[in-house]
Amino acid sequence: MAELTTTKLNAESHLLLDQPLLRLPHELSRKNFKTVQRHFERERDVVLSTLKNTANASLSGQDAPQTLASLDSMISRMQGLKRKMENLHEEEKVLRRHSKKRIQHLQDLYEIPSLADVKYDEWSRIRLNRLLVDYLLRSGYGESARALAREKGIEELVDLDVFVQCHKIEESLRRRNTQECLAWCAEHRPMMRKISNNLEFELRLQQYIELRRTGQLLEALQHAQKYIAPHSDTHVTEIHRAAGLLAYPPDTQAEPYKTMYSQSRWDCLAALFVKTHHELFSLPARPLLHIALSAGLSALKTPSCHSAYASSSSNASSSTTSVCPICSTELNELARNLPYAHHTKSYVESDPTVLPNGRIYGRDRLLQMSAKVGLDEGHVKDPTTGEVFEESKIRKVYIS
């Protein structure tokens, strides 16, 4: 019964890490629908207005060629709308196919009865590959991520194009170019308004700063009136500082103008864009691989993992060799600042005893080990620190 309890698979707890797997296709589908709705409503209003004007003009005696030209214009607009709808429909079909594949991937987990099942190993391997692709994409290695996804056959389970576009825009900002990011903001403006995001304002402010940096004062004023002044209700302080920037040269040491002129603002804009992008599409700020690794390390971590006597690798006198992953050279430092897991059960020896140095071991195992290493009768050796004590000095421990 105990074996069944420890190996039973809890699918719900596994899926806590996989929420973005379905969230992103959902957000993209919603964005696609809003785009379709926007195109349709705009063209509908234009065509209905043009049709009404053409009908009135025809009744008023307008020449036939002019009427035909108006009708041709409406037909052309509708054909353009049809092409846009066809492209958006193809995108929707791809998103649905990806969603179906991902739902099936998650459903496979519910059909696995035990952690010991070979199918669970296969499913876990697929998830690990997904996490690796996610990490590569977030780190800017788009081609490597694409190659790994293609090799493992998980292209429909990862979001290649979304992250590649994100990295492309991020890099354009680091190259001091705002055009691609502004185009992205225009495309997602309705979504950004809902979360009161200020990315577009910061981009326009940066354009203003660059105009002032190059001495184009008239262009800077015109730019401020067109793009910055409309935000006076929400960004009063920033607008006042922008106005004051006109009185300070780029080499000024006065704050906050020195900071506004600083080239490090471009890195801040790139970071703000990535944060906005992930927030809009319900993506976690940290790589999923980091989250999974942190959870796993925390679950295995104990206070002894960072003790000076953790294993024979850190103490030559120790007669034990640790097989704990946290005590390994590769993971020990990585796990140092992580919290300990909350354990509701403790597992101890049936005959616990405490040595004079405060360390606790089972009495029978301690005596057997001491005899194996050749100690004189009546003496015991701490297997971790290597200290030797008289048997009479060990005390029985009572757990309450």
Side-chain angles (χ1 to χ4, degrees):
M1 186 65 181
E3 182 67 19
L4 289 175
T5 302
T6 55
T7 61
K8 184 178 179 181
L9 190 148
N10 185 347
E12 296 295 334
S13 62
H14 280 65
L15 296 185
L16 291 175
L17 192 64
D18 293 299
Q19 294 179 15
L21 192 64
L22 294 180
R23 278 184 179 175
L24 185 55
H26 172 73
E27 294 296 336
L28 292 175
S29 296
R30 187 168 64 173
K31 172 195 163 188
N32 187 284
F33 174 77
K34 293 293 184 182
T35 303
V36 169
Q37 187 180 38
R38 187 168 61 253
H39 285 320
F40 175 79
E41 291 177 351
R42 182 172 62 242
E43 295 300 328
R44 179 198 62 190
D45 294 341
V46 172
V47 169
L48 289 177
S49 176
T50 305
L51 182 61
K52 181 178 179 180
N53 293 336
T54 301
N56 292 335
S58 178
L59 292 174
S60 302
Q62 184 185 50
D63 294 338
Q66 292 180 339
T67 302
L68 291 175
S70 297
L71 293 174
D72 289 340
S73 174
M74 287 186 284
I75 293 173
S76 178
R77 293 189 71 95
M78 295 305 295
Q79 289 174 338
L81 176 62
K82 180 182 177 182
R83 287 191 295 270
K84 292 178 182 177
M85 293 297 179
E86 288 174 346
N87 292 335
L88 291 169
H89 180 60
E90 289 301 318
E91 292 180 15
E92 184 68 22
K93 287 168 64 176
V94 171
L95 290 172
R96 287 183 179 180
R97 186 170 67 249
H98 286 186
S99 296
K100 182 178 180 181
K101 186 76 173 180
R102 296 176 186 205
I103 291 172
Q104 183 59 52
H105 171 64
L106 298 180
Q107 180 61 36
D108 291 342
L109 182 65
Y110 283 88
E111 297 173 359
I112 301 174
S114 167
L115 295 172
D117 196 308
V118 67
K119 292 183 179 179
Y120 177 71
D121 291 338
E122 297 173 359
W123 191 92
S124 297
R125 179 61 60 179
I126 293 174
R127 180 166 69 171
L128 176 59
N129 289 331
R130 287 197 296 105
L131 299 185
L132 290 173
V133 170
D134 175 83
Y135 179 79
L136 290 171
L137 287 170
R138 290 171 181 265
S139 302
Y141 301 106
E143 291 303 317
S144 298
R146 194 179 297 276
L148 177 60
R150 187 184 306 114
E151 178 184 344
K152 300 301 181 180
I154 58 172
E155 292 172 289
E156 294 179 331
L157 299 179
V158 292
D159 305 295
L160 295 168
D161 294 337
V162 172
F163 279 103
V164 167
Q165 184 196 31
C166 176
H167 182 67
K168 180 181 177 183
I169 296 176
E170 179 188 2
E171 287 302 307
S172 72
L173 288 172
R174 298 190 189 279
R175 295 193 305 268
R176 318 295 193 253
N177 188 329
T178 60
Q179 297 306 315
E180 290 187 45
C181 193
L182 282 171
W184 185 88
C185 289
E187 183 181 355
H188 299 85
R189 188 171 291 127
M191 299 170 66
M192 293 173 64
R193 284 175 180 167
K194 288 183 178 180
I195 61 174
S196 302
N197 187 273
N198 65 340
L199 173 61
E200 187 171 3
F201 172 80
E202 292 293 338
L203 292 170
R204 294 300 186 184
L205 179 59
Q206 187 64 39
Q207 288 182 322
Y208 169 83
I209 293 172
E210 296 305 317
L211 290 172
R212 174 62 187 91
R213 191 196 306 277
T214 56
Q216 303 177 63
L217 298 183
L218 180 59
E219 290 81 355
L221 286 171
Q222 293 173 343
H223 178 86
Q225 290 173 353
K226 183 175 181 180
Y227 296 111
I228 298 179
H231 297 274
S232 59
D233 293 338
T234 54
H235 296 84
V236 178
T237 302
E238 292 86 346
I239 292 176
H240 287 172
R241 290 176 178 177
L245 201 68
L246 295 172
Y248 292 86
D251 59 351
T252 182
Q253 296 301 309
E255 291 291 355
Y257 308 108
K258 178 183 176 181
T259 302
M260 294 178 71
Y261 277 123
S262 174
Q263 295 293 343
S264 63
R265 262 187 61 87
W266 288 102
D267 293 329
C268 294
L269 286 174
L272 178 59
F273 163 72
V274 173
K275 178 183 176 183
T276 302
H277 176 274
H278 291 357
E279 188 175 354
L280 287 186
F281 292 113
S282 301
L283 294 170
R286 297 173 58 200
L288 294 174
L289 184 64
H290 285 185
I291 298 173
L293 196 57
S294 298
L297 293 176
S298 183
L300 296 172
K301 182 179 176 182
T302 65
S304 63
C305 289
H306 293 96
S307 167
Y309 308 108
S311 68
S312 57
S313 62
S314 58
N315 178 19
S317 300
S318 174
S319 58
T320 64
T321 300
S322 174
V323 295
C324 172
I326 311 301
C327 296
S328 67
T329 305
E330 296 82 4
L331 298 178
N332 191 262
E333 280 302 314
L334 192 61
R336 184 173 295 278
N337 296 321
L338 291 175
Y340 300 109
H342 174 64
H343 297 285
T344 58
K345 294 182 180 180
S346 296
Y347 298 92
V348 297
E349 303 274 0
S350 59
D351 55 346
T353 56
V354 60
L355 296 176
N357 63 2
R359 304 185 74 85
I360 298 176
Y361 302 96
R363 182 183 181 87
D364 288 344
R365 288 211 304 161
L366 189 62
L367 293 175
Q368 291 173 10
M369 189 278 298
S370 298
K372 285 182 180 179
V373 297
L375 288 183
D376 296 335
E377 187 175 352
H379 291 78
V380 294
K381 180 179 181 180
D382 187 326
T384 302
T385 66
E387 298 174 87
V388 178
F389 303 99
E390 295 181 7
E391 184 180 348
S392 60
K393 293 184 178 181
I394 64 176
R395 296 287 181 267
K396 185 173 180 59
V397 175
Y398 296 92
I399 300 176
S400 58

